[in-house]
Short mmCIF file of all heavy atoms in Angstrom, two decimals:
data_model
loop_
_atom_site.label_atom_id
_atom_site.label_comp_id
_atom_site.label_asym_id
_atom_site.label_seq_id
_atom_site.Cartn_x
_atom_site.Cartn_y
_atom_site.Cartn_z
N LEU A 1248 0.83 -1.20 -0.01
CA LEU A 1248 -0.02 0.00 0.00
C LEU A 1248 0.87 1.27 0.00
O LEU A 1248 0.62 2.20 -0.76
CB LEU A 1248 -0.93 0.00 1.21
CG LEU A 1248 -1.84 1.22 1.40
CD1 LEU A 1248 -2.76 1.40 0.22
CD2 LEU A 1248 -2.62 1.08 2.69
N GLU A 1249 1.90 1.26 0.84
CA GLU A 1249 2.81 2.39 0.88
C GLU A 1249 3.50 2.62 -0.48
O GLU A 1249 3.64 3.75 -0.93
CB GLU A 1249 3.87 2.19 1.99
CG GLU A 1249 3.29 2.30 3.38
CD GLU A 1249 4.27 1.95 4.46
OE1 GLU A 1249 5.15 1.07 4.25
OE2 GLU A 1249 4.18 2.54 5.56
N LYS A 1250 3.89 1.55 -1.12
CA LYS A 1250 4.52 1.67 -2.44
C LYS A 1250 3.56 2.26 -3.44
O LYS A 1250 3.92 3.13 -4.23
CB LYS A 1250 5.02 0.28 -2.90
CG LYS A 1250 5.77 0.35 -4.20
CD LYS A 1250 6.32 -1.02 -4.59
CE LYS A 1250 7.07 -0.92 -5.90
NZ LYS A 1250 7.59 -2.21 -6.33
N GLU A 1251 2.32 1.78 -3.41
CA GLU A 1251 1.32 2.29 -4.33
C GLU A 1251 1.03 3.78 -4.08
O GLU A 1251 0.90 4.56 -5.04
CB GLU A 1251 0.01 1.49 -4.18
CG GLU A 1251 -1.10 1.94 -5.08
CD GLU A 1251 -2.37 1.13 -4.93
OE1 GLU A 1251 -2.35 0.05 -4.30
OE2 GLU A 1251 -3.41 1.58 -5.45
N LEU A 1252 0.96 4.17 -2.82
CA LEU A 1252 0.67 5.57 -2.48
C LEU A 1252 1.88 6.48 -2.71
O LEU A 1252 1.73 7.66 -2.94
CB LEU A 1252 0.22 5.66 -1.03
CG LEU A 1252 -1.12 5.00 -0.68
CD1 LEU A 1252 -1.37 5.05 0.80
CD2 LEU A 1252 -2.26 5.67 -1.45
N GLY A 1253 3.08 5.90 -2.54
CA GLY A 1253 4.28 6.68 -2.73
C GLY A 1253 4.78 7.37 -1.49
O GLY A 1253 5.60 8.29 -1.57
N TYR A 1254 4.28 6.93 -0.34
CA TYR A 1254 4.77 7.49 0.93
C TYR A 1254 4.57 6.49 2.05
O TYR A 1254 3.76 5.56 1.95
CB TYR A 1254 4.11 8.82 1.27
CG TYR A 1254 2.60 8.87 1.16
CD1 TYR A 1254 1.77 8.42 2.17
CD2 TYR A 1254 1.99 9.42 0.03
CE1 TYR A 1254 0.41 8.47 2.08
CE2 TYR A 1254 0.60 9.47 -0.09
CZ TYR A 1254 -0.17 9.01 0.94
OH TYR A 1254 -1.53 9.07 0.85
N THR A 1255 5.33 6.70 3.12
CA THR A 1255 5.32 5.83 4.29
C THR A 1255 4.14 6.21 5.20
O THR A 1255 3.89 7.40 5.42
CB THR A 1255 6.64 5.97 5.08
OG1 THR A 1255 7.71 5.68 4.18
CG2 THR A 1255 6.69 5.01 6.25
N LEU A 1256 3.46 5.21 5.70
CA LEU A 1256 2.29 5.44 6.58
C LEU A 1256 2.64 5.36 8.05
O LEU A 1256 1.99 6.00 8.89
CB LEU A 1256 1.19 4.42 6.27
CG LEU A 1256 0.64 4.51 4.84
CD1 LEU A 1256 -0.27 3.33 4.55
CD2 LEU A 1256 -0.09 5.83 4.65
N PHE A 1257 3.65 4.54 8.39
CA PHE A 1257 4.00 4.31 9.80
C PHE A 1257 5.50 4.48 10.03
O PHE A 1257 6.31 4.12 9.18
CB PHE A 1257 3.61 2.89 10.23
CG PHE A 1257 2.15 2.62 10.18
CD1 PHE A 1257 1.58 1.93 9.11
CD2 PHE A 1257 1.32 3.03 11.21
CE1 PHE A 1257 0.22 1.70 9.05
CE2 PHE A 1257 -0.04 2.79 11.17
CZ PHE A 1257 -0.59 2.11 10.10
N GLN A 1258 5.81 5.00 11.19
CA GLN A 1258 7.18 4.94 11.69
C GLN A 1258 7.23 3.67 12.54
O GLN A 1258 6.51 3.54 13.50
CB GLN A 1258 7.51 6.15 12.55
CG GLN A 1258 7.57 7.45 11.78
CD GLN A 1258 7.81 8.64 12.70
OE1 GLN A 1258 7.57 8.59 13.90
NE2 GLN A 1258 8.28 9.71 12.11
N ARG A 1259 8.05 2.72 12.09
CA ARG A 1259 8.13 1.43 12.75
C ARG A 1259 9.28 1.42 13.74
O ARG A 1259 10.36 1.94 13.46
CB ARG A 1259 8.29 0.33 11.73
CG ARG A 1259 7.12 0.18 10.76
CD ARG A 1259 7.60 -0.43 9.45
NE ARG A 1259 6.55 -0.78 8.53
CZ ARG A 1259 6.00 0.04 7.65
NH1 ARG A 1259 6.42 1.29 7.57
NH2 ARG A 1259 5.05 -0.38 6.82
N SER A 1260 9.06 0.78 14.91
CA SER A 1260 10.12 0.59 15.86
C SER A 1260 9.84 -0.70 16.65
O SER A 1260 8.80 -1.32 16.47
CB SER A 1260 10.21 1.78 16.84
OG SER A 1260 9.10 1.78 17.71
N ARG A 1261 10.76 -1.07 17.49
CA ARG A 1261 10.54 -2.27 18.31
C ARG A 1261 9.35 -2.13 19.22
O ARG A 1261 8.75 -3.11 19.62
CB ARG A 1261 11.79 -2.56 19.15
CG ARG A 1261 12.95 -3.06 18.35
CD ARG A 1261 14.07 -3.39 19.27
NE ARG A 1261 15.23 -3.83 18.50
CZ ARG A 1261 16.31 -4.32 19.05
NH1 ARG A 1261 16.40 -4.45 20.35
NH2 ARG A 1261 17.30 -4.70 18.28
N THR A 1262 9.05 -0.89 19.60
CA THR A 1262 7.97 -0.68 20.56
C THR A 1262 6.61 -0.46 19.90
O THR A 1262 5.61 -0.34 20.61
CB THR A 1262 8.27 0.54 21.46
OG1 THR A 1262 8.46 1.70 20.62
CG2 THR A 1262 9.52 0.28 22.30
N GLY A 1263 6.56 -0.38 18.57
CA GLY A 1263 5.27 -0.23 17.92
C GLY A 1263 5.35 0.49 16.58
O GLY A 1263 6.41 0.60 15.97
N ALA A 1264 4.19 0.99 16.19
CA ALA A 1264 4.05 1.69 14.92
C ALA A 1264 3.24 2.96 15.15
O ALA A 1264 2.15 2.90 15.70
CB ALA A 1264 3.34 0.80 13.90
N VAL A 1265 3.81 4.07 14.74
CA VAL A 1265 3.16 5.37 14.91
C VAL A 1265 2.91 5.97 13.52
O VAL A 1265 3.76 5.86 12.63
CB VAL A 1265 4.06 6.33 15.75
CG1 VAL A 1265 3.42 7.70 15.91
CG2 VAL A 1265 4.36 5.71 17.09
N LEU A 1266 1.77 6.57 13.34
CA LEU A 1266 1.46 7.18 12.05
C LEU A 1266 2.44 8.29 11.74
O LEU A 1266 2.80 9.09 12.59
CB LEU A 1266 0.04 7.77 12.09
CG LEU A 1266 -1.11 6.77 12.06
CD1 LEU A 1266 -2.42 7.50 12.32
CD2 LEU A 1266 -1.18 6.02 10.75
N THR A 1267 2.86 8.33 10.47
CA THR A 1267 3.64 9.45 9.96
C THR A 1267 2.68 10.62 9.72
O THR A 1267 1.44 10.43 9.76
CB THR A 1267 4.31 9.07 8.63
OG1 THR A 1267 3.30 8.80 7.67
CG2 THR A 1267 5.27 7.91 8.77
N PRO A 1268 3.19 11.80 9.43
CA PRO A 1268 2.26 12.90 9.10
C PRO A 1268 1.31 12.55 7.95
O PRO A 1268 0.13 12.88 8.01
CB PRO A 1268 3.22 14.05 8.72
CG PRO A 1268 4.42 13.79 9.60
CD PRO A 1268 4.57 12.27 9.58
N LYS A 1269 1.80 11.89 6.91
CA LYS A 1269 0.92 11.46 5.81
C LYS A 1269 -0.11 10.43 6.30
O LYS A 1269 -1.27 10.47 5.90
CB LYS A 1269 1.72 10.86 4.65
CG LYS A 1269 2.45 11.88 3.84
CD LYS A 1269 1.53 12.64 2.92
CE LYS A 1269 2.34 13.45 1.94
NZ LYS A 1269 1.53 14.32 1.14
N GLY A 1270 0.33 9.50 7.16
CA GLY A 1270 -0.56 8.54 7.74
C GLY A 1270 -1.68 9.21 8.53
O GLY A 1270 -2.86 8.84 8.45
N GLU A 1271 -1.32 10.24 9.31
CA GLU A 1271 -2.30 10.99 10.08
C GLU A 1271 -3.27 11.71 9.16
O GLU A 1271 -4.46 11.81 9.46
CB GLU A 1271 -1.61 12.00 10.98
CG GLU A 1271 -0.88 11.38 12.15
CD GLU A 1271 -0.15 12.39 13.02
OE1 GLU A 1271 -0.35 13.62 12.81
OE2 GLU A 1271 0.61 11.96 13.89
N GLN A 1272 -2.77 12.16 8.03
CA GLN A 1272 -3.62 12.86 7.05
C GLN A 1272 -4.67 11.95 6.45
O GLN A 1272 -5.82 12.34 6.28
CB GLN A 1272 -2.74 13.40 5.92
CG GLN A 1272 -2.77 14.89 5.78
CD GLN A 1272 -1.89 15.32 4.61
OE1 GLN A 1272 -0.84 14.73 4.32
NE2 GLN A 1272 -2.32 16.36 3.95
N ILE A 1273 -4.26 10.71 6.10
CA ILE A 1273 -5.23 9.84 5.44
C ILE A 1273 -6.10 9.05 6.41
O ILE A 1273 -7.11 8.50 6.01
CB ILE A 1273 -4.56 8.89 4.43
CG1 ILE A 1273 -3.77 7.79 5.10
CG2 ILE A 1273 -3.73 9.67 3.43
CD1 ILE A 1273 -3.47 6.63 4.19
N TYR A 1274 -5.73 9.00 7.69
CA TYR A 1274 -6.49 8.18 8.65
C TYR A 1274 -7.98 8.53 8.66
O TYR A 1274 -8.84 7.63 8.53
CB TYR A 1274 -5.89 8.28 10.04
CG TYR A 1274 -6.58 7.42 11.06
CD1 TYR A 1274 -6.41 6.03 11.06
CD2 TYR A 1274 -7.42 7.96 11.99
CE1 TYR A 1274 -7.06 5.23 11.99
CE2 TYR A 1274 -8.08 7.16 12.93
CZ TYR A 1274 -7.89 5.81 12.92
OH TYR A 1274 -8.53 5.02 13.82
#
């Protein structure tokens, strides 16, 4: 999905996944 959209949706880490600004926009 991220590849199709052309941007990252989540910042991934060992502790979880947080929406990026673009992710927050489309949520």
Side-chain angles (χ1 to χ4, degrees):
L1248 177 60
E1249 289 173 328
K1250 184 176 180 181
E1251 180 179 347
L1252 294 174
Y1254 49 83
T1255 304
L1256 298 170
F1257 296 100
Q1258 292 177 339
R1259 297 154 171 88
S1260 71
R1261 288 184 183 189
T1262 59
V1265 178
L1266 288 171
T1267 62
K1269 286 284 191 187
E1271 289 178 9
Q1272 242 181 325
I1273 72 163
Y1274 183 74

